[in-house]
């Protein structure tokens, strides 16, 4: 590591630099390095990150050495840089051939499995994930071409995978190569991916977002010390009493970008997915314990979040998402508002799904943007496509809420359940009633439970793909077997075979 570190610390030697390998990384080798030498030998934060302030000297860094590729490295690097640019991620310090040196959050520590179950921590993780989904989707969209591919500054096209693209890639690779330890698990995988995608998107459609997709405890950092937990408990109680205004939306986004509390790191598996997959994947990690020797234990019976814990997480996630989208919870039920003609005239489920980046369907998509560029512009067709694509993704959450409430109102009317006005909502409304929020929480909880099957299958495929290629000591086959067994159980219980 010393030659790499000398780019940042010119006076670095084996005597004044301390490096230790971080446990829990099962794809790359990750080290924390601390400089103990003379201050004249320390590097500073790059000028683009230190503008308008005194130079920030760096005495601790993270060095990441890439393993064999199981993810899109070019996209991961773009995601890493984007997260730093929007203020929610670590900053790149040095890039080398098979890895990088990045900022170290030395005043933070990784969560332990027990930390994630604490109500205060769970709420903060949920709110931080809502920030990530919103800010990253907005920031990554301009880099996506109308054909669903991504282009960097050198005009080199890099495929921006969606979650199903990745699973198909892994499934095809495993089927072709097979496994000497468990050949029976390596057949028919590509068909299973297609079937699972079809079932989930038909029965539990959600909006498209840019997901982290690997929210295990080691990838979640919290400030060191007890003060943070006490402060967050007080802030959460205060935030529930605040109304949402245009000013508070702006403040919510500014606070999201500061990311002074919980931080999400390691973007190896970030890609276009949906909230249900990302949240379900995090819940699955509640059941996992990863030990320093790279052994693990998975207990989904005792450690998977209870229904009450699931609702707590979903409510915190939705509360932050509503704020970021300029919506809030009304103190009293809102009067029924008429639905837009384009929605009220359509039967539930009658709209054809629009397509978001990389073929991820947005089942709550609308019809486009009134501010489309004029057709006299020679680039107008591409601009119209890109504008519609952006509207599809960035407006997907509001349209999903609208569809959920419309479907619930229709079901209540057909079942003669009495007054169902509380389910009525339109895109111009600035608040939801408590009853509407309960409906949305119910729907997202049910969908997320089903999307856990996709998480299990995703990481089962990952284990099979890694078992013959990775040099890291980890029982990938056992891990794959346990995740795929959970997938089979969930498919039969929640989705139907």
């Amino acid at each position: 590591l010393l030659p790499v570190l000398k780019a940042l610390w010119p006076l670095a030697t084996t005597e004044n630099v301390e490096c230790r390998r971080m446990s829990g990384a099962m794809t790359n080798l990750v080290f924390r390095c601390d400089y103990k030498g003379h201050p004249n030998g320390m590097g500073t934060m790059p000028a683009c990150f230190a503008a308008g302030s005194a130079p920030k000297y760096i005495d601790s860094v993270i060095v990441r050495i890439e393993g064999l590729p199981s993810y899109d490295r070019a996209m991961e690097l773009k995601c890493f840089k984007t997260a730093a640019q929007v203020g929610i991620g670590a900053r790149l310090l040095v890039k080398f051939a098979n890895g990088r040196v990045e900022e170290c959050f030395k005043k933070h520590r990784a969560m332990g499995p027990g930390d994630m179950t604490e109500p205060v921590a769970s709420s903060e993780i949920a709110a931080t994930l809502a920030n990530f989904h919103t800010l990253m989707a907005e920031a990554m969209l301009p880099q996506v071409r109308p054909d669903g591919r991504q282009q960097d500054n050198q005009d080199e096209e890099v495929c921006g995978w969606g979650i199903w693209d990745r699973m198909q890639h892994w499934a095809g690779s495993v089927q072709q190569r097979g496994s000497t330890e468990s050949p029976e698990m390596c057949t028919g995988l590509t068909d299973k991916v297609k079937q699972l995608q079809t079932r989930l998107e038909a029965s539990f459609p959600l909006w498209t977002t840019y997901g982290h997709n690997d929210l295990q405890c080691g990838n979640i950092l919290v400030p060191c010390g007890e003060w943070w937990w006490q402060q967050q408990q007080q802030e959460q109680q205060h935030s529930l009493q605040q109304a949402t205004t245009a000013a508070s939306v702006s403040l919510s986004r500014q606070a999201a970008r500061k990311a002074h509390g919980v931080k999400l790191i390691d973007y190896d598996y970030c890609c276009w997915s949906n909230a249900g997959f990302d949240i379900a994947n995090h819940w699955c990690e509640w059941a996992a314990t990863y030990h320093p020797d790279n052994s693990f234990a998975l207990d989904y019976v005792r450690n998977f979040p209870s229904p009450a814990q699931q609702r707590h997480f979903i409510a915190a996630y939705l509360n932050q998402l509503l704020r970021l989208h300029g919506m809030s919870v009304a103190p009293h039920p809102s009067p029924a508002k008429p639905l837009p003609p384009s929605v009220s005239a359509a039967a539930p489920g009658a709209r054809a799904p629009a397509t978001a980046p990389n073929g991820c369907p947005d089942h709550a998509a609308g019809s486009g943007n009134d501010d489309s560029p004029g057709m006299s512009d020679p680039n107008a067709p591409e601009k119209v496509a890109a504008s519609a694509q952006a509207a599809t993704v960035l407006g997907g959450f509001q349209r999903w809420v609208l569809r959920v409430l419309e479907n619930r109102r229709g079901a209540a009317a057909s079942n003669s359940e009495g007054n169902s006005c509380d389910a009525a909502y339109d895109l111009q409304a600035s608040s939801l009633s408590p009853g509407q929020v309960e409906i949305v929480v119910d729907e997202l909880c049910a969908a997320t439970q089903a999307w856990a099957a996709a998480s299990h299958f995703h990481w089962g495929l990952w284990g099979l793909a890694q078992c013959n290629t990775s040099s890291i000591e980890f029982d990938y086959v056992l891990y794959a077997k346990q995740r795929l067994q959970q997938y089979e159980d969930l498919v039969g219980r929640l989705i139907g075979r």
Side-chain angles (χ1 to χ4, degrees), residues 24-39:
M26 292 167 284
T27 302
N28 304 311
L29 295 176
V30 181
F31 299 85
R32 171 169 171 168
C33 300
D34 298 289
Y35 180 71
K36 308 292 186 181
H38 193 278

Side-chain angles (χ1 to χ4, degrees), residues 165-180:
D165 300 315
R166 176 189 294 152
M167 291 170 70
Q168 278 291 356
H169 174 77
W170 285 345
S173 174
V174 169
Q175 281 184 181
Q176 185 176 19
R177 189 183 63 244
S179 170
T180 55

Side-chain angles (χ1 to χ4, degrees), residues 239-250 252 319-331 430-431:
S239 67
L240 293 176
Q241 302 169 4
Q242 292 181 320
T244 296
T245 63
S248 68
V249 171
S250 176
S252 293
N319 182 60
Q320 180 64 5
L321 208 59
L322 291 171
R323 289 182 178 276
L324 292 171
H325 286 78
M327 302 154 71
S328 67
V329 180
S430 60
S431 63

Side-chain angles (χ1 to χ4, degrees), residues 448-470:
T448 301
Q449 291 167 8
W451 277 90
S455 170
H456 288 305
F457 200 49
H458 177 273
W459 292 107
L461 290 172
W462 170 82
L464 294 176
Q466 291 281 99
C467 67
N468 292 331
T469 59
S470 178

Side-chain angles (χ1 to χ4, degrees), residues 343-395:
V343 176
S344 59
R351 295 185 298 278
T355 301
N358 313 303
C360 293
D362 187 340
H363 292 261
S367 57
N369 193 329
D370 292 336
D371 297 325
S372 303
M375 296 305 290
S376 59
D377 184 342
N379 297 318
E382 286 194 3
K383 288 183 178 179
V384 169
S387 176
Q389 185 182 71
T392 294
V393 175
L394 300 183

Side-chain angles (χ1 to χ4, degrees), residues 89-226:
R91 290 167 280 203
L92 177 65
L93 302 176
V94 178
K95 181 73 179 76
F96 53 94
N98 63 330
R100 64 175 177 255
V101 181
E102 60 193 58
E103 180 183 11
C104 174
F105 296 123
K106 58 188 298 183
K107 295 182 179 180
H108 285 66
R109 65 170 179 84
M111 277 192 165
D115 291 334
M116 297 193 300
T117 67
E118 291 292 331
V120 171
S122 181
S123 295
E124 286 301 305
I125 295 169
T128 303
L129 187 59
N131 295 339
F132 187 94
H133 286 168
T134 302
L135 299 178
M136 290 300 292
E138 292 174 352
M140 294 297 285
L141 265 175
Q143 304 176 50
V144 179
R145 293 158 51 101
D147 59 3
R149 295 177 67 83
Q150 189 167 345
Q151 188 171 349
D152 64 16
N153 294 332
Q154 287 74 41
D155 282 344
E156 295 177 358
E157 291 186 340
V158 181
C159 180
W161 281 353
I163 198 71
W164 296 111
D165 300 315
R166 176 189 294 152
M167 291 170 70
Q168 278 291 356
H169 174 77
W170 285 345
S173 174
V174 169
Q175 281 184 181
Q176 185 176 19
R177 189 183 63 244
S179 170
T180 55
E181 296 185 52
S182 299
E184 73 283 355
M185 292 196 298
C186 301
T187 59
L189 295 176
T190 55
D191 289 339
K192 287 183 178 179
V193 172
K194 292 178 183 177
Q195 292 167 4
L196 182 61
Q197 179 180 3
T198 300
R199 290 171 179 170
L200 286 174
E201 291 178 350
S203 300
F204 304 95
L206 291 170
W207 68 98
T208 299
T209 192
Y210 202 82
H212 184 282
N213 306 323
D214 190 17
L215 218 54
Q216 49 129 317
C217 59
N219 291 340
I220 306 170
L221 305 184
V222 293
C224 300
E226 292 298 321

